[in-house]
């Protein structure tokens, strides 16, 4: 028997090694990896500058505890603050922990309990993350949830207006619901949400765990809308595979996260931070995201032209290099077909194929992926 808890449904491919957009299976096959480890390896597998930065830190120290000042934490925090327009960073090890930090901070800073989130949202698997998540399947069997999380329909202004009040600590929202099916927030909704938050003294928290670090063509997805959140959370793409998460907030919140208020043994680990700094140096550098956005334009253009007309394709949504293809049929069997033909892609909900290629994916890799999808989707129609 396997000695692992069977928490994950595993694919049939066991990776041997990986480089760039290519994953080499132990089966001797090569696969085009359009998952980036669920939006983590935004620079592809094993980008050299990140490897060099990590090796350099490995020879200095691996862990010393947060009792010491560490300039590598200051350097990473400065970059995150500069790029986001926010001020202060708390480092954690994962997305769920970043959201935990944000939720604790919001409750403490406002002295209020109610947190508004949205249906189909995903905010992680810890108790607060799970309670914040607007999908029943995530909570099944775990008993009563943390109180005072309210889930409203996404992009529905009337329900937000009716629910937000002076007892509300925060509105927590994804700019693009990633796990929930690639649903993009509307400009009107997020702008109004910002205004309603300001009017009621409510903190606006943007969960950028999947959309951040360049995934949508800007450093953070909220920047497409000219809004100013109070807190954002990041994780996945920040360390390109080294575990790290962060909650980034406005300076006015600093007094509520004083010594002893929150902490993490591994949070701010220098190996992960060395990776994160190298990642940000590349992704936030002049020109990188322009090129990546152009690749996103190419991807969406091809998806619309090659697949948009198909009967099985209901909708194509997303931004930058975060794409969802909603089908009229379940996605899983098609994803299995795609793997057989050499393309690894993700589901997002039951009927959506989600593509999260690395941000430096090559043009010919995009063309190949779309042609493999076209093939798998046309074949599917014939066999059903
Ligand atoms: C993945 C994800 C999380 C949870 O991150 P973990 O690192 O798995 O804890 C939270 N929010 C969003 C939007 C995510 O995509």
């Amino acid at each position: 028997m396997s000695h692992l808890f069977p928490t994950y449904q595993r694919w049939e491919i066991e990776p041997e090694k990986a480089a760039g957009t290519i994953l080499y299976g132990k089966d001797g096959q090569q696969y085009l990896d359009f998952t980036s480890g669920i939006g983590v390896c935004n620079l592809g597998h094993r980008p050299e500058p990140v490897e060099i930065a990590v090796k350099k830190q490995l020879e200095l120290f691996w862990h010393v505890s947060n009792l010491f000042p560490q300039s590598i934490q200051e350097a990473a925090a400065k970059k995150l603050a500069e790029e986001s327009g926010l001020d202060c960073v708390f480092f954690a090890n994962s997305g769920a922990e970043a959201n935990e930090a944000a939720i604790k901070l919001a409750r403490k800073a406002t002295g209020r309990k109610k947190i508004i989130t949205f249906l189909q949202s995903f905010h992680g698997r810890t108790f607060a993350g799970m309670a914040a998540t607007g999908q029943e399947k995530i909570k099944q069997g775990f008993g009563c949830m943390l109180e005072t999380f309210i889930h409203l329909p996404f992009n529905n202004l009337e329900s937000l207006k009716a629910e937000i009040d002076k007892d509300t600590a925060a509105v927590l929202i994804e700019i693009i619901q990633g796990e929930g099916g690639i649903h993009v927030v509307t400009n009107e909704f997020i702008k109004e949400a910002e205004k309603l938050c300001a009017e009621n003294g409510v903190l606006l928290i943007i969960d950028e765990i999947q959309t951040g670090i360049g995934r949508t063509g800007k450093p953070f997805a909220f920047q497409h809308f000219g809004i100013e959140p109070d807190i954002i959370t990041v994780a996945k793409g920040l360390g390109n595979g080294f575990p790290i998460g962060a909650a980034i907030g406005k300076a006015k919140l600093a007094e509520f996260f004083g010594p002893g208020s929150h902490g993490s043994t591994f949070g701010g680990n220098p190996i992960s931070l060395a990776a994160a700094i190298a990642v940000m140096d590349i992704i936030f550098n002049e020109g990188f995201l322009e090129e990546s956005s152009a690749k996103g334009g190419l991807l969406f253009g091809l998806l619309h032209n090659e697949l948009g007309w198909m009967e099985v394709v209901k909708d194509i949504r997303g931004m930058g290099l975060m794409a969802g293809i909603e089908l009229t049929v379940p996605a899983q069997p098609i994803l299995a077909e795609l793997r057989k033909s050499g393309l690894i892609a993700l589901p997002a909900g039951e009927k959506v194929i989600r593509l999260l290629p690395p941000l430096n994916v090559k043009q010919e890799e995009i063309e190949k992926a779309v042609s493999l999808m076209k093939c798998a989707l046309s074949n599917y129609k014939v066999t059903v």
Side-chain angles (χ1 to χ4, degrees):
M1 71 171 273
S2 166
H3 292 285
L4 296 167
F5 276 115
T7 41
Y8 306 103
Q9 186 142 31
R10 311 273 186 174
W11 289 335
E12 64 289 346
I13 303 163
E14 178 160 1
E16 165 92 46
K17 58 180 183 175
T21 316
I22 307 298
L23 189 140
Y24 300 82
K26 284 194 173 170
D27 55 9
Q29 301 292 314
Q30 280 187 30
Y31 299 90
L32 204 47
D33 183 358
F34 268 43
T35 73
S36 309
I38 320 194
V40 167
C41 304
N42 280 3
L43 293 171
H45 293 285
R46 293 172 40 235
E48 204 184 343
V50 179
E51 186 171 320
I52 290 168
V54 166
K55 281 185 172 156
K56 203 172 135 208
Q57 184 61 38
L58 275 173
E59 291 178 3
L60 296 174
F61 58 91
W62 300 0
H63 176 87
V64 290
S65 92
N66 284 314
L67 298 170
F68 293 89
Q70 293 172 55
S71 50
I72 195 165
Q73 291 185 351
E74 294 289 346
K78 183 161 183 267
K79 271 186 182 300
L80 284 169
E82 279 171 3
E83 287 298 330
S84 64
L86 293 162
D87 307 293
C88 299
V89 180
F90 176 84
F91 284 115
N93 309 287
S94 66
E97 283 173 85
N99 281 341
E100 289 282 332
I103 289 164
K104 284 179 72 173
L105 181 56
R107 278 200 181 198
K108 194 162 183 227
T110 60
R112 306 172 181 178
K113 277 195 280 191
K114 186 162 94 181
I115 298 200
I116 296 175
T117 73
F118 298 89
L119 295 171
Q120 306 127 42
S121 62
F122 182 76
H123 299 294
R125 302 284 194 155
T126 56
F127 252 95
M130 179 169 65
T133 293
Q135 302 184 47
E136 271 318 303
K137 66 176 185 196
I138 304 286
K139 313 180 190 207
Q140 263 164 31
F142 295 110
C144 55
M145 291 291 117
L146 268 185
E147 280 176 83
T148 56
F149 283 89
I150 309 239
H151 311 301
L152 301 180
F154 192 58
N155 281 334
N156 183 317
L157 209 46
E158 290 316 307
S159 63
L160 181 61
K161 276 186 187 150
E163 189 61 50
I164 198 167
D165 57 19
K166 305 260 188 242
D167 291 327
T168 310
V171 169
L172 168 61
I173 188 167
E174 295 159 271
I175 293 293
I176 304 179
Q177 293 185 323
E179 303 300 313
I182 313 292
H183 300 286
V184 186
V185 82
T186 62
N187 185 55
E188 187 202 5
F189 184 77
I190 197 69
K191 284 254 175 64
E192 272 306 303
E194 182 191 36
K195 221 172 99 196
L196 288 168
C197 283
E199 284 167 11
N200 288 282
V202 172
L203 299 178
L204 177 60
I205 309 176
I206 310 282
D207 182 337
E208 293 266 4
I209 290 164
Q210 194 158 149
T211 52
I213 321 296
R215 176 51 59 190
T216 68
K218 296 228 185 246
F220 305 99
F222 78 82
Q223 293 166 331
H224 290 284
F225 300 91
I227 55 166
E228 289 184 20
D230 297 287
I231 304 175
I232 66 171
T233 52
V234 294
K236 293 194 166 89
L238 182 55
N240 210 86
F242 290 89
I244 183 167
I248 313 163
K250 285 187 176 166
K252 66 175 182 188
L253 300 169
E255 62 175 299
F256 303 101
F257 253 5
S261 57
H262 193 46
S264 164
T265 296
F266 289 125
N269 171 270
I271 307 295
S272 293
L273 286 174
I277 290 170
V279 165
M280 290 190 280
D281 275 342
I282 297 170
I283 292 181
F284 299 156
N285 195 11
E286 245 342 272
F288 180 92
L289 285 177
E290 280 78 354
E291 203 170 307
S292 179
S293 297
K295 303 258 176 69
L298 174 76
L299 172 65
F300 277 95
L302 283 174
L303 288 174
H304 281 289
N305 284 342
E306 303 293 317
L307 312 180
W309 54 272
M310 289 181 158
E311 234 171 90
V312 284
V313 175
K314 196 171 157 200
D315 196 13
I316 296 169
R317 300 186 289 266
M319 266 167 122
L321 283 167
M322 181 167 184
I325 300 103
E326 182 170 349
L327 307 175
T328 57
V329 297
Q332 290 291 2
I334 293 173
L335 291 170
E337 274 313 302
L338 283 173
R339 289 196 296 276
K340 274 190 211 153
S341 71
L343 174 65
I344 314 179
L346 293 160
E350 199 206 337
K351 292 184 175 170
V352 178
I353 294 179
R354 172 174 39 156
L355 302 178
L356 301 173
L359 305 183
N360 53 7
V361 61
K362 297 191 185 84
Q363 176 171 341
E364 54 273 25
E365 292 169 335
I366 292 175
E367 288 163 355
K368 184 161 177 217
V370 175
S371 99
L372 290 172
M373 288 186 59
K374 186 178 181 184
C375 197
L377 287 169
S378 336
N379 288 345
Y380 186 83
K381 242 180 102 185
V382 178
T383 56
V384 167

